[in-house]
Amino acid sequence: MADIGHLREGIDRSRPTRRAAAEAARQTATRDREGPPRTDIGTIFLHWLVAIAMVVSLLTGLRISADAPEAVLSKALEPILPQGEIWTVHFVASLVLFFSATAYALYMLRSGLRHRVALKKTRALVMPAASRLRWGAVNVILHWVVYGLVAILTATGIALYIGYGGWIVAVHAASAIAVLAYIFIHVVAHFLYGGWPQILRLFRPTRLMANSGMRARPLLTAVLVGVPVAGAIAAFDWGTRDTLTVGAVDDPPTLDGVLDDAAWRRAGPVRIRTQQGANLGGSGESLVEVRAVRDANNIYFAFRWQDPTRSLRRLPLIKREDGWHLIHDHADIADVMNFYEDKLSVIFSRSQAFGGGASTHLGPQPLSDKPGALNNRGLHYTTDGSYIDMWQWKASRGGLLGRVDDQFIGPPIEPKEADWNKTARYQGGYTGDPGKAFYVYNYVSEPPGGYRGPVQLKRLPADYRQTAAKLKTFDLDPDSSDSEGAEWWMMEAETVPYSPELDAAIPVGTVIPGVLIMGEYSGDRADIVGAARWSDGWWTLETRRALTTGSKYDVDFVPGEPFYMWVAVFDHTQTRHTRHVRPVKLVIE
């Protein structure tokens, strides 16, 4: 009886395979009679829409990923990756991918074709079956795998968009690489399933054959459902963005770096998660709180952001046997990540476009007729002739002396000879407002070899011992925190012009600041004043500027059409600031 039971069990197991083999034979015979295999129009349309959106999203995502210093695969692919205003393309492609994947799933249900991806087909992998059936089972598995990857990319992409980083960045990047591998495996698996006819059938459309599972107008229904779903997601994003309301006050705050004024207590903060910056305790993340109020003449902002260390050592200089050297890792390519000052950057734009009002252009040379950035990371500029107001607080270049640098992003500036030969840093359309800042660098412009050897100083401390005392301490660990009250700049009155005789009196091993404070701020560039203080892992910055300045490079803070704000945190890094993708809407009362 046991033998008979096993025999029946074997027969029952073989039946599905025999039926499947018979079905495969029937389909083969039909194909042989009717010519090369074809695919229904709906499947072809949605398949290629998914494919194009996926490839565009993948290539733009790899370009964004290539900006990370630890990137490997994306950096290797840089020569074939797109350049320019990548952020908008990436987000639009991702939204189209979500729409097309949703529509494709609905189409499969309503067209009666879901048997194509039925999981029961995977049983062919564990039972005696023809090679074609086995590869068909593999393709079913791959179908569900790619849906899983799209779901992961969508979830992690949304998390990154609203400001979460950390392990989410790694999962998003790994999923993108898995999609890259999937594309290759997907094509190979279909080839092994049916050869070139199976590949070419996606270029041979035919009408959808009527079947018992088919519902009315499956393609039209899928599109009519998918478009509103994608549109609703975009509308939800636009409708739920944070809004910073700037209320009027009679008692404006005192600028002292402490948020104890009544005006600040009444002002509701906006909290912005930023991520994928350098340093910041290894997390690359910083939470930024922003408040704003105004009186009859001025607007006041309070920024408070996480930063584990007080960093003031912007490219310090050390004397060695052969002369003075900058202490840095990549000053020659404008990509310092060790000895630099803390900074905060804020931009205001009338545009809410992605990439900071469409001003961020990635790649080694996003402008074909202009030089690229020294660090090959990209440039900031606008393409429509507009100007974006940018404020930069720089801890050692006036930030702790009451100044915030008033700058802008506009159309690309005409490069100079030094920009072309890479002995100066070309910055696209990003520069200071007309006027003058009071900080300069205590070394001449980049020499041949790029700051890797000795540099020529402009001035020496009048008393190097007194200058050393103002530095408090110098720690060779760039992640260490500078002492309260340390001054990593030299005032003009504390220095004298360079001379070999005075230099000879300064011992080897002496460290001095790389920043000189000379003269005063002037012109449009002097519009913003502020006060900052670091305490317990947080910087606090209070600023003041006139509501209107009359400058085309500035935003006028007046009631009316709203405008948008982005923030970026720099933790002792030159250019690798945190990312803030989703803009904050500003409303002036």
Side-chain angles (χ1 to χ4, degrees):
M1 293 297 290
D3 290 340
I4 293 174
H6 284 303
L7 178 60
R8 286 176 176 172
E9 184 179 355
I11 293 171
D12 290 341
R13 286 179 177 175
S14 67
R15 283 173 181 166
T17 302
R18 290 174 180 172
R19 285 197 298 268
E23 176 63 18
R26 186 189 66 79
Q27 291 179 358
T28 301
T30 301
R31 184 175 68 249
D32 291 342
R33 289 195 304 270
E34 297 180 356
R38 298 176 180 274
T39 299
D40 60 279
I41 295 172
T43 297
I44 289 178
F45 170 72
L46 292 172
H47 173 275
W48 285 116
L49 190 60
V50 168
I52 292 169
M54 181 178 290
V55 169
V56 172
S57 179
L58 184 62
L59 291 177
T60 52
L62 287 170
R63 167 56 70 195
I64 295 169
S65 173
D67 185 55
E70 68 275 8
V72 177
L73 178 61
S74 53
K75 282 192 182 296
L77 295 173
E78 268 201 311
I80 64 169
L81 296 177
Q83 301 187 70
E85 206 285 274
I86 296 299
W87 286 100
T88 299
V89 179
H90 183 67
F91 285 121
V92 171
S94 299
L95 189 62
V96 172
L97 177 60
F98 178 81
F99 152 73
S100 52
T102 302
Y104 187 71
L106 183 59
Y107 178 75
M108 295 292 283
L109 289 173
R110 293 190 60 83
S111 63
L113 299 177
R114 56 184 171 182
H115 64 276
R116 289 180 178 175
V117 293
L119 287 173
K120 64 182 181 181
K121 287 187 174 183
T122 60
R123 290 182 295 181
L125 293 173
V126 296
M127 300 172 66
S131 174
R132 180 179 174 84
L133 290 176
R134 289 179 175 275
W135 283 111
V138 169
N139 281 314
V140 169
I141 293 173
L142 288 173
H143 175 89
W144 291 105
V145 165
V146 77
Y147 261 95
L149 289 173
V150 169
I152 293 171
L153 285 169
T154 300
T156 54
I158 291 172
L160 291 173
Y161 179 62
I162 60 179
Y164 290 89
W167 62 268
I168 295 174
V169 180
V171 172
H172 193 74
S175 300
I177 293 172
V179 169
L180 189 64
Y182 160 82
I183 293 172
F184 174 76
I185 297 170
H186 173 68
V187 174
V188 171
H190 270 278
F191 179 81
L192 294 174
Y193 172 75
W196 286 113
Q198 176 67 14
I199 303 295
L200 296 176
R201 69 183 300 164
L202 284 169
F203 299 92
R204 298 186 180 118
T206 188
R207 294 182 61 185
L208 177 65
M209 298 296 293
N211 60 77
S212 59
M214 183 176 171
R215 300 291 182 268
R217 297 181 176 83
L219 179 58
L220 179 61
T221 302
V223 172
L224 291 179
V225 171
V227 168
V229 169
I233 292 174
F236 179 78
D237 169 42
W238 291 328
T240 59
R241 289 177 177 175
D242 288 328
T243 298
L244 180 63
T245 301
V246 184
V249 296
D250 296 322
D251 51 342
T254 301
L255 304 187
D256 56 8
V258 180
L259 303 183
D260 57 357
D261 302 272
W264 294 138
R265 289 195 295 271
R266 292 195 297 267
V270 165
R271 294 178 175 88
I272 305 165
R273 301 188 64 92
T274 69
Q275 39 82 25
Q276 294 188 67
N279 306 320
L280 292 162
S283 72
E285 300 179 51
S286 180
L287 178 66
V288 184
E289 296 178 355
V290 187
R291 296 169 173 83
V293 295
R294 72 172 183 88
D295 59 18
N297 301 308
N298 300 299
I299 188 167
Y300 304 82
F301 282 91
F303 303 95
R304 186 170 181 264
W305 69 95
Q306 292 172 312
D307 186 336
T309 56
R310 178 196 292 107
S311 305
L312 310 177
R313 291 159 288 176
R314 185 196 185 278
L315 295 176
L317 291 152
I318 186 169
K319 188 174 182 181
R320 295 178 178 155
E321 293 289 348
D322 61 343
W324 291 91
H325 289 252
L326 289 177
I327 304 175
H328 72 98
D329 50 359
H330 297 109
D332 49 326
I333 59 170
D335 197 14
V336 181
M337 287 185 286
N338 58 0
F339 289 100
Y340 213 78
E341 68 195 321
D342 289 338
K343 298 190 293 182
L344 180 77
S345 181
V346 188
I347 63 173
F348 303 97
S349 174
R350 293 290 181 189
S351 168
Q352 59 178 315
F354 297 114
S359 67
T360 303
H361 303 261
L362 300 178
Q365 193 172 5
L367 290 164
S368 60
D369 62 338
K370 302 283 191 301
L374 285 175
N375 52 31
N376 290 328
R377 298 183 59 212
L379 299 167
H380 285 296
Y381 58 88
T382 62
T383 58
D384 60 356
S386 65
Y387 292 90
I388 294 174
D389 195 0
M390 178 166 66
W391 301 2
Q392 277 210 59
W393 176 83
K394 307 168 182 178
S396 292
R397 285 178 285 173
L400 292 176
L401 296 172
R403 285 294 178 181
V404 178
D405 212 354
D406 195 358
Q407 302 183 304
F408 69 87
I409 300 172
I413 298 167
E414 197 60 33
K416 300 177 182 178
E417 182 179 353
D419 299 320
W420 284 110
N421 60 32
K422 301 294 185 180
T423 58
R425 177 188 173 192
Y426 182 64
Q427 298 187 149
Y430 148 53
T431 190
D433 280 14
K436 180 180 179 295
F438 64 13
Y439 62 82
V440 296
Y441 309 129
N442 195 21
Y443 43 88
V444 298
S445 60
E446 182 176 4
Y451 299 132
R452 294 296 173 179
V455 296
Q456 178 61 51
L457 297 195
K458 296 177 180 177
R459 301 182 73 84
L460 291 168
D463 183 339
Y464 73 88
R465 297 179 185 85
Q466 190 176 71
T467 297
K470 288 187 175 182
L471 304 182
K472 304 290 186 182
T473 59
F474 176 73
D475 195 321
L476 287 173
D477 177 8
D479 291 318
S480 60
S481 192
D482 290 312
S483 304
E484 178 73 33
E487 295 182 9
W488 280 89
W489 58 88
M490 295 189 298
M491 306 299 290
E492 183 176 9
E494 301 169 341
T495 63
V496 294
Y498 178 86
S499 73
E501 295 77 19
L502 293 173
D503 191 1
I506 300 177
V508 171
T510 299
V511 175
I512 63 174
V515 176
L516 295 171
I517 303 299
M518 310 273 288
E520 297 292 338
Y521 261 83
S522 64
D524 286 1
R525 201 162 176 178
D527 286 339
I528 313 162
V529 295
R533 183 175 297 186
W534 183 92
S535 178
D536 297 327
W538 290 80
W539 277 108
T540 301
L541 168 66
E542 296 175 284
T543 66
R544 182 184 72 237
R545 202 210 74 180
L547 289 168
T548 61
T549 66
S551 171
K552 71 176 182 179
Y553 306 107
D554 292 336
V555 164
D556 288 336
F557 295 102
V558 294
E561 181 183 351
F563 49 92
Y564 302 89
M565 175 181 70
W566 290 261
V567 297
V569 171
F570 301 72
D571 179 23
H572 64 90
T573 181
Q574 186 172 8
T575 62
R576 294 190 179 273
H577 55 74
T578 58
R579 290 175 179 169
H580 170 207
V581 182
R582 198 174 189 228
V584 172
K585 180 180 177 181
L586 260 70
V587 175
I588 312 298
E589 290 186 339

